[in-house]
Amino acid sequence: MTVRELRATLSAHALVVLVCVFSALPVVWAVSTSFKGPAAIFAPDLVPADPTLDNYRATLATFPVARLVLNTGAVAAAVAALQLLLAVLAAYGLVRFRFRGGPVVLTALAAAIIVPQQCLIVPNYLLAAQMGWIDTYVGLAAPQLAGCALGVLLLHQHVRAFPRSLLDAAQIDGAGHATVLWRIVVPNLRPVLVALAVLFFITSWNEYLWPLLVASGTERATVQVGLQAFQTEQGNDWGRMMAAAVLVTAPVLLAYGLAQRWIVAAFVQGTGR
Amino acid sequence: MSAVPRVGARLLGVVKRYGTTGVLDGLDLEVPEGAFMVLVGPSGCGKTTCLRLLAGLEHPDGGRVEIAGRDVSREPARDRDVAMVFQDFALYPHMTVEANVAFGLRLRSRRRRAGSPDAPEIDRRVADALRLLELDGLERRRPAQLSGGQRQRVALARAIVRRPRLFLLDEPLSNLDAQLRGQTRAELVRLHRRLSATMLYVTHDQVEALSMASRMAVMDRGAVLQVGSPREVYERPATVFVARFVGSPPMNVHALTDRPGFTPPVGPRSAQVGWRPPHGQLSAGWAAAGRDGLRLSGRLDTAELLGEDLLLGVAGPWGRAGLLHPAGAPHPAPGEPVEVHVPRDRLHWFDDSGTRVGHGGPAPPPVDRPARAGGAPSGP
């Protein structure tokens, strides 16, 4: 390795490390803060001088961590699964069935992505209220399903680029549309479907405004709404809030850690063909 | 009573348009039962469309599609009992070899069609098909782990395991390298003989057509120009297009001209005359006078070695021609004047429109033309 190559490698690595530190810092800071006593909260040390578990004790005593994580996880999983199902069906239908207005539907889907969600909050709330969906899981999840428009557009491209001869071969083998979709198209689009599922899940998990409106009671509240409880007019309890944030993040990290091998494999599988 | 061959599949006055572009306009084609029929033509001539119409992947805008005497024009692909081998093989990438081959049978048995095989029967037939194509041992592999030739054989196994009425093969050899292609040609012919099935094979390669077909049809611009045995098509091409498309190097075709160096034979003649490169004789330096036939004089332009033979390119005021000459025999150097003589009985005569009118021999034999009007050559 020449000096020039070495320098290039080193500077590339330095950049990567810098980006990693930059994105990891808030997380590390949150973890660090969660172990600090009230007096040390604003102390600028990364490692707490006098670490304490008080924040965790107090949070676990008063804050329904399990409930919130379960609520959010269930809603996000259901939303991601249903969005994926809708997106797959819509994309396949739009590609494989030529019908009048098909292009209009596609354009409308693109337009739906452009409209900011905040514009729809009031009409959605009124609709949900009239349907009796306030403080229900259905009310939490249903409006989020519309977020699959992006997925439809993305999958539309993938289905359109799907090898025509495979579809023809399946048809000659005796497969109808349902069989073609579930047994030929979907297994071969697994990488993009996994990517979309992760994206849908994270988006739904991070949803804040809508859950705040329709599920502010503790029974159906989600993580993001729950964390809000630590910010009060009397001041913010940073220590406990960070302890709560760490507690609700842990299960997701754990789940990702367990599924990581599978997720990465799904991504890689598509490139190996 | 002479046996009239039963019809395996037939297109009758078929019209097919994509948008406003007409691909087929009243095309007729008959595949006799048990034939290895090769449909050959340049790319874009509509041959693959014919195949897709028979497969049920496309539906005609007019006319009829028949398989084994039954009108299937409106039937979906899965009810037609046909199997197809695709140019890119179209193996399901996420399935093993065994699952690829068994897919069609398992679907049918799940749907409980009458006469559909049960699971042990499927396993047995899949194993038989894999053994026939020498794929045993590869059952658990995925297509990505196979060589091109193996993939091609899996595609064939998938077709034969179904025991369909009609096999459709869409340029199945074009993705193989030259050596493997030659080998697979012979294997396909053997397979056809063994299964005694009706096969329609589409290719743009006239060598494949000549070497494999029991019967061949030449297509151009959506029309069938000639149907016959490879020998008939080669020896008595129905049009100038067929004459030049089938055979390599291609037939030389000259419009009759009074330019210097061009001496047509005396007697009956027509607007255009053709001859195949092996039939021209170099007669540089000696007088060809007194012999009956076509005489061309010009200069030797090119000499390409083809192995046993040289392909000599001759150019003159009348145009260009190619002829085969034994590689070891003496021949003039490029640039030197040469004279080419073609015996009269080796000449093919065509009219203005390019339609064959006869052979140069004593009595022009009848021209073999398709029975139906679809083969009418396009006008000038």
Side-chain angles (χ1 to χ4, degrees):
Chain A
M1 195 183 267
T2 66
V3 176
R4 179 183 291 193
E5 279 169 358
L6 189 68
R7 203 179 294 161
T9 312
L10 280 179
S11 51
H13 277 79
L15 187 68
V16 171
V17 169
L18 194 72
V19 171
C20 286
V21 168
F22 189 75
S23 43
L25 195 63
V27 180
V28 175
W29 194 257
V31 174
S32 156
T33 305
S34 69
F35 289 104
K36 288 175 180 172
I41 281 292
F42 294 107
D45 7 298
L46 205 53
V47 180
D50 183 18
T52 166
L53 285 174
D54 284 351
N55 290 325
Y56 285 93
R57 254 180 239 120
T59 302
L60 283 173
T62 57
F63 191 67
V65 173
R67 177 94 224 176
L68 293 181
V69 168
L70 280 179
N71 278 352
T72 321
V75 168
V79 166
L82 285 171
Q83 280 187 328
L84 212 54
L85 177 70
L86 289 174
V88 165
L89 290 174
Y92 184 83
L94 283 168
V95 173
R96 293 285 282 170
F97 301 100
R98 302 262 152 221
F99 55 92
R100 207 176 287 238
V104 180
V105 173
L106 264 185
T107 317
L109 282 169
I113 298 173
I114 298 170
V115 178
Q117 203 207 346
Q118 287 78 356
C119 298
L120 304 174
I121 281 284
V122 174
N124 275 352
Y125 184 80
L126 292 176
L127 201 62
Q130 279 169 21
M131 294 175 82
W133 280 1
I134 300 300
D135 215 18
T136 65
Y137 288 120
V138 176
L140 260 178
Q144 295 187 38
L145 295 182
C148 72
L150 178 73
V152 177
L153 290 187
L154 189 70
L155 286 179
H156 183 262
Q157 292 305 314
H158 277 85
V159 176
R160 213 168 53 170
F162 199 83
R164 167 85 173 270
S165 59
L166 280 185
L167 304 176
D168 290 342
Q171 221 177 314
I172 288 179
D173 266 341
H177 278 296
T179 313
V180 169
L181 176 59
W182 297 116
R183 306 219 16 214
I184 306 294
V185 175
V186 164
N188 283 299
L189 291 186
R190 214 161 67 186
V192 64
L193 292 176
V194 169
L196 264 182
V198 171
L199 181 76
F200 284 153
F201 184 87
I202 292 175
T203 308
S204 176
W205 181 276
N206 285 339
E207 199 64 46
Y208 173 66
L209 191 53
W210 180 252
L212 183 68
L213 282 175
V214 296
S216 44
T218 48
E219 276 301 291
R220 308 271 187 284
T222 65
V223 165
Q224 314 304 335
V225 176
L227 289 179
Q228 162 77 5
F230 295 95
Q231 291 178 300
T232 63
E233 281 159 24
Q234 283 76 44
N236 303 333
D237 192 339
W238 293 114
R240 288 190 194 180
M241 184 173 178
M242 289 308 144
V246 170
L247 285 174
V248 300
T249 311
V252 184
L253 281 181
L254 194 69
Y256 181 80
L258 290 177
Q260 187 192 22
R261 183 187 292 195
W262 191 80
I263 292 173
V264 171
F267 276 109
V268 171
Q269 182 217 8
T271 56
R273 282 219 300 274
Chain B
M1 174 179 150
S2 72
V4 177
R6 291 174 61 192
V7 179
R10 177 158 42 194
L11 297 175
L12 276 172
V14 160
V15 178
K16 182 67 195 171
R17 282 182 288 268
Y18 293 109
T20 53
T21 337
V23 181
L24 305 176
D25 187 17
L27 176 129
D28 296 309
L29 184 69
E30 246 180 53
V31 186
E33 195 171 84
F36 192 117
M37 177 132 176
V38 176
L39 191 55
V40 65
S43 43
C45 71
K47 54 192 191 303
T48 296
T49 303
C50 290
L51 211 60
R52 297 178 63 85
L53 284 165
L54 282 165
L57 297 170
E58 310 275 355
H59 295 280
D61 296 315
R64 266 153 67 97
V65 180
E66 284 179 11
I67 293 176
R70 205 159 50 90
D71 182 358
V72 295
S73 311
R74 295 285 136 208
E75 275 185 17
R78 61 172 162 187
D79 296 334
R80 291 194 184 189
D81 200 12
V82 299
M84 189 157 166
V85 177
F86 294 84
Q87 193 172 1
D88 62 359
F89 313 143
L91 301 179
Y92 311 123
H94 59 297
M95 294 184 194
T96 62
V97 166
E98 194 266 348
N100 261 286
V101 175
F103 186 69
L105 289 181
R106 294 204 173 123
L107 274 187
R108 262 152 235 270
S109 100
R110 230 179 33 165
R111 217 175 274 126
R112 293 177 209 288
R113 298 246 164 146
S116 62
D118 55 2
E121 166 76 3
I122 291 177
D123 290 346
R124 204 178 51 72
R125 273 164 67 169
V126 169
D128 284 349
L130 291 177
R131 199 169 326 114
L132 182 62
L133 289 154
E134 291 164 35
L135 288 163
D136 22 3
L138 302 177
E139 293 87 350
R140 306 247 64 87
R141 298 256 193 109
R142 281 171 200 263
Q145 298 164 305
L146 300 177
S147 71
Q150 288 169 336
R151 282 181 217 181
Q152 209 267 349
R153 297 212 300 277
V154 175
L156 280 173
R158 185 169 68 178
I160 66 172
V161 80
R162 295 246 321 272
R163 300 183 186 159
R165 256 180 218 288
L166 177 64
F167 285 86
L168 303 168
L169 302 102
D170 188 9
E171 310 218 7
L173 304 187
S174 60
N175 272 349
L176 303 181
D177 59 50
Q179 199 183 352
L180 199 53
R181 206 166 352 188
Q183 207 178 314
T184 315
R185 275 208 301 256
E187 274 172 27
L188 268 175
V189 172
R190 227 173 290 137
L191 194 65
H192 169 254
R193 210 166 38 219
R194 195 165 162 169
L195 302 172
S196 53
T198 312
M199 293 190 173
L200 180 61
Y201 182 108
V202 156
T203 178
H204 63 265
D205 183 349
Q206 51 89 25
V207 178
E208 284 177 15
L210 286 177
S211 60
M212 300 167 75
S214 69
R215 210 168 161 71
M216 67 187 274
V218 184
M219 273 187 82
D220 184 38
R221 286 187 248 160
V224 174
L225 301 180
Q226 186 172 10
V227 181
S229 71
R231 217 183 160 78
E232 281 165 359
V233 172
Y234 183 80
E235 289 178 353
R236 295 201 296 276
T239 70
V240 168
F241 177 85
V242 175
R244 293 194 54 85
F245 190 79
V246 176
S248 174
M251 182 185 277
N252 300 294
V253 180
H254 313 282
L256 286 205
T257 163
D258 46 13
R259 293 197 180 224
F262 188 89
T263 320
V266 289
R269 41 170 127 161
S270 181
Q272 299 183 73
V273 62
W275 55 281
R276 294 213 177 264
H279 299 149
Q281 293 155 12
L282 211 52
S283 47
W286 71 81
R291 289 212 246 163
D292 192 17
L294 171 70
R295 257 186 311 157
L296 301 166
S297 43
R299 283 176 188 284
L300 188 65
D301 189 31
T302 53
E304 294 168 40
L305 183 62
L306 303 181
E308 287 296 303
D309 291 311
L310 281 170
L311 174 62
L312 301 181
V314 178
W318 38 268
R320 299 183 52 88
L323 78 152
L324 293 183
H325 187 75
H331 67 86
E336 284 183 23
V338 288
E339 198 156 299
V340 179
H341 174 255
V342 188
R344 182 178 187 110
D345 60 353
R346 295 297 197 180
L347 296 176
H348 304 256
W349 295 98
F350 304 96
D351 67 14
D352 277 328
S353 67
T355 307
R356 179 187 192 82
V357 290
H359 210 259
V367 178
D368 186 52
R369 297 279 299 283
R372 290 176 185 277
S378 46

